[in-house]
């Protein structure tokens, strides 16, 4: 497994960003996309239809964008994870401390709800009190699944040997690694 100081040669062209809920996958994917000059497809936007109902074209949409020569996306949704791994050349694993991830998740959720920020296809965060009654509220989901990447990412070294896995354990490592990527114009 690679770290923040390792140089990737050749540069990544098909990048997955993995991590637990709230760790900063989408933000980091956007930064990688801009740095490399390749498209970023936010996988949540493909999955969630109006009313939080899964879109029927989700798997076909993932199939289509991953057929392209270059892209960045988040490694989510069990039904497409094998395809994403098969087609990616690099995975960036954001393995930040649990408390950092939970703090980011709570802060983000409160901000989105307070500002009524539209997420995907007209959806907004539910009222904050629903964290008490909804088992699948994003904050409860984050608590319940906080260690799942530690079980899912390391085995990929054996099952997907073509995939370069870069494990980043702090914001400083994420910043340094993204900064070392070649700029789109280079």
């Amino acid at each position: 497994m690679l770290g923040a100081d390792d140089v990737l040669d050749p540069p990544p062209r098909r990048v997955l960003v993995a991590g637990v809920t709230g760790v900063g996958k989408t933000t980091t994917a956007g930064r990688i996309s801009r740095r490399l000059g390749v498209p970023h497809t936010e996988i949540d936007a493909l999955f969630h239809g109006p009313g939080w109902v899964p879109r029927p074209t989700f798997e076909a949409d993932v199939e289509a964008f991953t057929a392209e020569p270059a892209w960045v996306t988040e490694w989510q949704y069990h039904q497409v994870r094998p395809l994403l791994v098969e087609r990616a050349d690099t995975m960036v694993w954001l393995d930040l401390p649990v408390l950092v991830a939970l703090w980011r998740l709570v802060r983000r959720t409160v901000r989105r709800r307070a500002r009524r920020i539209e997420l995907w296809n007209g959806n907004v965060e539910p009222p904050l009190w629903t964290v008490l009654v909804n088992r699948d509220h994003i904050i409860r989901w984050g608590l319940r699944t906080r260690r799942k990447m530690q079980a899912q990412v390391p085995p990929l070294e054996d099952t997907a040997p073509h995939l370069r896995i870069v494990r980043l354990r702090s914001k400083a490592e994420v910043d340094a690694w993204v900064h070392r990527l070649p700029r789109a114009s280079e």
Side-chain angles (χ1 to χ4, degrees), residues 54-117:
R55 294 176 63 246
T57 61
F58 172 63
E59 291 181 48
D61 292 342
V62 173
E63 171 78 35
F65 88 77
T66 60
E68 296 298 320
W71 45 264
V72 179
T73 196
E74 302 79 22
W75 192 52
Q76 300 181 153
Y77 303 105
H78 69 276
Q79 64 268 47
V80 295
R81 278 188 169 160
L83 175 67
L84 292 169
V85 165
E86 175 187 318
R87 293 188 173 175
D89 61 48
T90 305
M91 174 181 280
V92 178
W93 177 17
L94 303 179
D95 189 20
L96 279 58
V98 171
L99 289 178
V100 171
L102 288 175
W103 167 246
R104 287 180 175 186
L105 174 61
V106 169
R107 186 180 66 199
R108 176 191 83 184
T109 303
V110 169
R111 185 185 77 246
R112 285 177 172 177
R113 178 60 195 173
R115 296 180 183 168
R116 308 266 311 146
I117 295 170

Side-chain angles (χ1 to χ4, degrees), residues 8-186:
L8 300 181
D9 188 26
R13 301 298 297 155
R14 294 179 175 153
V15 183
L16 296 173
V17 181
V20 296
T21 302
V23 80
K25 293 181 299 293
T26 301
T27 299
T28 302
R31 290 178 64 198
I32 293 168
S33 166
R34 289 186 297 278
R35 184 75 181 196
L36 294 174
V38 302
H40 169 221
T41 299
E42 187 176 354
I43 204 162
D44 279 329
L46 298 181
F47 183 80
H48 295 290
W52 298 104
V53 174
R55 294 176 63 246
T57 61
F58 172 63
E59 291 181 48
D61 292 342
V62 173
E63 171 78 35
F65 88 77
T66 60
E68 296 298 320
W71 45 264
V72 179
T73 196
E74 302 79 22
W75 192 52
Q76 300 181 153
Y77 303 105
H78 69 276
Q79 64 268 47
V80 295
R81 278 188 169 160
L83 175 67
L84 292 169
V85 165
E86 175 187 318
R87 293 188 173 175
D89 61 48
T90 305
M91 174 181 280
V92 178
W93 177 17
L94 303 179
D95 189 20
L96 279 58
V98 171
L99 289 178
V100 171
L102 288 175
W103 167 246
R104 287 180 175 186
L105 174 61
V106 169
R107 186 180 66 199
R108 176 191 83 184
T109 303
V110 169
R111 185 185 77 246
R112 285 177 172 177
R113 178 60 195 173
R115 296 180 183 168
R116 308 266 311 146
I117 295 170
E118 181 178 327
L119 301 174
W120 313 282
N121 302 307
N123 298 311
V124 296
E125 294 284 359
L128 292 174
W129 64 266
T130 61
V131 73
L132 302 172
V133 295
N134 182 352
R135 182 179 189 282
D136 290 327
H137 187 282
I138 193 68
I139 293 174
R140 288 178 71 174
W141 173 263
L143 286 166
R144 195 168 61 247
T145 62
R146 68 187 178 278
R147 299 196 197 295
K148 74 179 184 177
M149 288 295 126
Q150 292 169 342
Q152 293 177 343
V153 174
L156 293 173
E157 287 187 299
D158 294 327
T159 61
H162 71 282
L163 187 66
R164 299 176 294 189
I165 302 172
V166 180
R167 186 178 191 180
L168 305 174
R169 298 177 186 230
S170 69
K171 181 183 182 317
E173 285 189 2
V174 172
D175 292 344
W177 189 82
V178 170
H179 183 73
R180 272 198 270 307
L181 290 172
R183 291 188 187 274
S185 60
E186 294 177 3

